[in-house]
Amino acid sequence: MNEFGSKTAVVTGAASGIGLQLAKVFAEQGMNVVLADIEQNKLDDAVVEVTAIGVKAIGVLTDVGSGESVAALCRATVERFGSVQILCNNAGVYTGGLLWEQTEDDYEWLMKVNQWGIIHGMRHFVPQMIAQGDECHIVNTSSMASMCTLPFAGIYHMTKHAALALSECLFHELAMTAPQISVSVLCPELVNTSIATSSRNRPADLAEENITDMQKMSMTAITDATAGSLAPRVLAERVLQAIKDQLFYVLPPAENPWRETANTRLDDLREVRNPTFAPPAI
């Protein structure tokens, strides 16, 4: 896809971070943009920023963990713009700690957003794209956490590995049945976003309980690591280029330390050795 003008992009998690920058990059290409997020006030502000670029944009309050909510997002997109050519399943959340100390609600929350958010997007938007018959592209946001495993972030790693596997399978299935629809998986390294404070959007029925010392340590670590890290705009520009190039894996540069950590895990698999503790040198 190299022509973007007057086409429509849908971005979840679009009120801040990578999602907002994706929305802006697509707007700069002349696309209509549908911004979806669970934070109404920030969503409203984001729509103002995007429309200021000079394109048509709407905000749709969306809980990506709800199939009904994502179905409504798809309907709102088609009702407003007639079709959708780019879908970015971008919303994501984080919590950390020891796997056996984290609650069922911790697992449920991350799976609901990081896995089911992509599943719902796929299930509701792919049939629409197939029915259109035109050239389309789906971008699922995973993480470099999908290509390695590190302690005290196990639930996050689990959900991001699932996001990567689902994206790879989707790539194969669409290549065989609807080749006009391309797929990319975005695997960011540390990015300066508000993911460290994503608990602000945690549902009341999955509220945190008895926060452990290890959970506090993990959340402090991710807060410190993301502060001052890579600008979200860099990731949005990577995605745009990947769409133009029909590139599936959207990764950091080869010299990035997260690539080295991922390569160490691949070597563990190839050599059938126990997992190596190889945190990126950041």
Side-chain angles (χ1 to χ4, degrees):
M1 185 183 297
N2 286 292
E3 297 296 329
F4 297 89
S6 300
K7 295 180 180 179
T8 300
V10 177
V11 183
T12 68
S16 62
I18 296 172
L20 178 54
Q21 295 305 315
L22 284 168
K24 288 182 175 180
V25 163
F26 295 140
E28 289 163 6
Q29 301 301 307
M31 300 190 75
N32 307 313
V33 185
V34 179
L35 296 87
D37 204 279
I38 201 168
E39 293 188 90
Q40 185 70 69
N41 291 339
K42 287 188 176 181
L43 180 60
D44 292 341
D45 292 342
V47 171
V48 171
E49 289 187 46
V50 172
T51 54
I53 296 171
V55 298
K56 297 176 182 177
I58 61 170
V60 180
L61 189 67
T62 305
D63 175 4
V64 298
S66 162
E68 290 184 2
S69 186
V70 176
L73 171 64
C74 186
R75 288 195 301 270
T77 300
V78 175
E79 288 170 3
R80 178 64 178 85
F81 295 116
S83 61
V84 54
Q85 284 72 38
I86 293 178
L87 168 67
C88 293
N89 292 308
N90 172 73
V93 294
Y94 175 89
T95 191
L98 291 167
L99 285 166
W100 57 90
E101 290 184 346
Q102 294 191 264
T103 66
E104 289 187 14
D105 287 347
D106 292 331
Y107 282 85
E108 180 70 19
W109 179 44
L110 265 68
M111 292 171 69
K112 190 175 182 181
V113 179
N114 297 351
Q115 292 179 209
W116 277 101
I118 294 176
I119 294 167
H120 291 317
M122 173 187 66
R123 292 191 65 250
H124 292 289
F125 280 87
V126 168
Q128 171 63 35
M129 290 177 168
I130 290 174
Q132 291 169 192
D134 56 353
E135 188 176 32
C136 298
H137 203 108
I138 297 170
V139 182
N140 293 332
T141 297
S142 181
S143 169
M144 286 305 292
S146 70
M147 299 189 176
C148 62
T149 53
L150 297 171
F152 316 123
I155 305 177
Y156 186 75
H157 280 279
M158 177 188 73
T159 59
K160 293 302 185 177
H161 277 254
L164 175 61
L166 181 66
S167 300
E168 290 178 344
C169 292
L170 180 62
F171 174 88
H172 291 307
E173 292 181 9
L174 288 175
M176 297 172 67
T177 63
Q180 74 276 14
I181 306 174
S182 301
V183 181
S184 295
V185 62
L186 174 61
C187 296
E189 61 270 56
L190 286 171
V191 183
N192 191 3
T193 69
S194 57
I195 193 168
T197 61
S198 52
S199 61
R200 67 191 186 278
N201 293 322
R202 186 163 171 155
D205 62 332
L206 299 177
E208 290 179 297
E209 300 176 7
N210 303 319
I211 300 174
T212 66
D213 289 341
M214 292 303 296
Q215 188 170 3
K216 292 177 183 176
M217 183 200 73
S218 174
M219 298 310 294
T220 298
I222 193 67
T223 300
D224 293 344
T226 54
S229 57
L230 196 66
R233 174 76 186 200
V234 176
L235 279 299
E237 291 174 350
R238 284 183 195 169
V239 168
L240 180 63
Q241 192 60 50
I243 292 172
K244 292 178 179 179
D245 296 341
Q246 290 193 329
L247 180 67
F248 178 79
Y249 296 105
V250 188
L251 305 175
E255 65 276 8
N256 186 279
W258 281 95
R259 292 283 293 270
E260 296 176 14
T261 296
N263 287 335
T264 298
R265 178 174 181 270
L266 292 175
D267 289 340
D268 289 342
L269 291 167
R270 280 190 289 264
E271 298 178 23
V272 197
R273 67 191 185 198
N274 290 345
T276 301
F277 177 58
I282 52 177

